[in-house]
Amino acid sequence: MTSLFEYAPAPESRSLVDIRPSYGLFIDGEFDDGTGTPLKTVNPATEEVLSEVATGSTEDVDRAVRAARRAFTRVWGPMRPADRGKYLFRIARLLQERAREFAVLETLDNGKPIRESRDVDVPLAAAHFFYHAGWADKLEHAGLGPAPRPLGVAGQVIPWNFPLLMLAWKVAPALATGNTVVLKPAETTPLTALLFAEVCRQADLPPGVVNIVTGAGETGRAVISHPDVDKVAFTGSTEVGRSIARAVAGTAKKLTLELGGKAANIVFDDAPVDQAVEGIVRGIFFNQGHVCCAGSRLLVQESVHDEVVAALQRRIGTLRVGDPMDKNTDLGAINSHPQLERIRELVAAGDAEGAQRWQPEGELPARGYWFKPTVFTDVSPAHRIARDEVFGPVLSVMTFRTPDEAVAKANNTTYGLSAGIWSEKGSRILSTTAKLRAGVVWANTFNEFDPTSPFGGYKQSGYGREGGRQGLAAYLKGDA
Ligand code: NDP
């Protein structure tokens, strides 16, 4: 798309990665072909097939779980915690050393801008391993009992929006607490998980401690329902989360679910407008809006609505949408065609229900999956675009008059993952935060992540926390 300024192209080099024509499953420290029908993974910015990736069948998942159980019983469980920590440090350092390679591969497979994979996804993934490496030999000081013990084998299923980062959120705490892992990446973004498998080998991680079984939903189902899995961790849609909760109910498996969101980003009339606009943009257009905690509902105090919306539109007009490998790109490609269709359907519902749609001028690339940054005004809380998770670059703007009305509207959702508040008054921020039913509340910022800070939701956003001391509890016996 054209913008105020023309930039010279600044493409990151693709030659930093060596994508193989095909990849296998990573089980017991070895790659093998698996017995399912392989899947193709494509670059969503070009629709080019990047590679063919094995699909794990029920038998393959069973092999992976058996390998994880063996590794847990013989090696990883009995290992001195300080030694486990050394492996995690080693993995963290290798992620840093190979950061550019990971960033390029993530951008090619996922469609997100290289600026984000380079500056956010990969550094944060390494930070999760560093943070949890530090915990490995200090678990008795985590406030979770005098001698916390691992659960055993963790079955983990992750989505496509932050492929490497979600892997780190799942694998790092599991390993630090002495568990072993069978992880299923999303069907459309398996490549960085397979590069991570190579890092595990490079770090000399004992075979079977981490197993990566690629495939579609069926493979995920086999992982979570395997009888010898002790712990299930899932991030993804609320619908699949519900089906997993049903599958796990009545078993001894421990479960954490990190599901969808429909976060309110609340702008009070005393907020500095330019700063708030940056936060609104970051809240909804970061990672093309494929973010469970995206600030997808903008609640603006009525008296500043027109000013904020005008400033927001001006700012959006300067965003660069296009080649994710270009270092100047702000919005990359939508991850898959089905996701693009889902976004289109919800945007059409917004039009049909009478909201006012605004999109910037300009053309989108001819090939690949793209959607323009979109702002809906005149949105009513009953509209689908105000209730359903769009998981795309689509913002719904609503107004409020009083702080109580802001809180009521913010909480008027089936979700409860995150929220944002923009105000100059600390007292107003604190009093509003206390009334919001959201797991994470950002004040005068949005979409900040840190491994020391627990993340998770209320209501249909799931249960359990990831990160921080609280995140360790999900992988240990005897927590509350
Ligand atoms: P899913 O919930 O289907 O996918 C998440 C992960 O679960 C993927 O690895 C998926 O495999 C796997 N999976 C699918 N079905 C099952 C099952 N029955 N048992 C176990 N694992 C399963 O999300 P989608 O990719 O279909 O996205 C749909 C919508 O979900 C999005 O539009 C968005 O609204 C929401 N979403 C929310 C996320 C969040 O972080 N809150 C993340 C991703 C999506 P596979 O990739 O092969 O489908």
Side-chain angles (χ1 to χ4, degrees), residues 157-161 184-187 215-217 220-221 224 234-237 240 243-244 259-260 292 339 342 389 391:
V157 177
I158 55 171
W160 42 263
N161 52 342
K184 192 204 85 73
E187 181 181 343
R221 203 196 309 259
I224 62 105
F234 172 78
T235 298
S237 63
V240 173
S243 81
I244 290 178
L259 309 176
C292 47
Q339 187 59 28
R342 227 166 269 148
E389 185 177 48
F391 225 62

Side-chain angles (χ1 to χ4, degrees), residues 156-181:
Q156 308 180 320
V157 177
I158 55 171
W160 42 263
N161 52 342
F162 293 95
L164 181 70
L165 185 57
M166 287 301 107
L167 175 150
W169 279 31
K170 299 275 180 285
V171 173
L175 298 194
T177 47
N179 300 275
T180 56
V181 162

Side-chain angles (χ1 to χ4, degrees), residues 43-67:
N43 178 346
T46 59
E47 299 177 50
E48 162 209 9
V49 173
L50 292 170
S51 186
E52 200 171 82
V53 177
T55 285
S57 65
T58 310
E59 296 75 46
D60 298 322
V61 168
D62 184 52
R63 275 191 305 122
V65 173
R66 279 190 283 123

Side-chain angles (χ1 to χ4, degrees), residues 148-290:
R149 280 171 303 133
L151 300 169
V153 176
Q156 308 180 320
V157 177
I158 55 171
W160 42 263
N161 52 342
F162 293 95
L164 181 70
L165 185 57
M166 287 301 107
L167 175 150
W169 279 31
K170 299 275 180 285
V171 173
L175 298 194
T177 47
N179 300 275
T180 56
V181 162
V182 177
L183 176 122
K184 192 204 85 73
E187 181 181 343
T188 57
T189 53
L191 295 184
T192 46
L194 294 165
L195 186 59
F196 179 80
E198 282 178 25
V199 162
C200 292
R201 293 234 288 210
Q202 212 181 335
D204 275 333
L205 192 71
V209 173
V210 168
N211 304 274
I212 310 254
V213 185
T214 45
E218 271 310 301
T219 310
R221 203 196 309 259
V223 170
I224 62 105
S225 53
H226 193 288
D228 202 29
V229 161
D230 302 294
K231 151 86 190 168
V232 170
F234 172 78
T235 298
S237 63
T238 298
E239 189 189 345
V240 173
R242 266 197 217 112
S243 81
I244 290 178
R246 278 195 295 274
V248 166
T251 71
K253 288 174 192 168
K254 225 171 149 167
L255 176 65
T256 40
L257 295 173
E258 202 265 274
L259 309 176
K262 194 75 194 174
N265 205 356
I266 306 171
V267 179
F268 286 102
D269 58 5
D270 63 338
V273 171
D274 287 344
Q275 223 173 299
V277 162
E278 286 308 307
I280 295 163
V281 166
R282 185 186 179 135
I284 187 62
F285 301 126
F286 171 58
N287 202 27
Q288 295 72 245
H290 301 326

Side-chain angles (χ1 to χ4, degrees), residues 392-444:
V394 179
L395 180 69
S396 297
V397 185
M398 289 172 276
T399 57
F400 67 89
R401 288 185 181 167
T402 64
D404 283 346
E405 190 188 347
V407 169
K409 282 189 167 159
N411 286 339
N412 182 15
T413 168
T414 54
Y415 295 110
L417 194 53
S418 65
I421 304 172
W422 297 84
S423 168
E424 267 190 353
K425 292 190 187 66
S427 56
R428 175 175 276 171
I429 289 171
L430 291 174
S431 71
T432 308
T433 303
K435 293 177 201 146
L436 292 175
R437 290 283 290 163
V440 178
V441 181
W442 285 290
N444 293 327

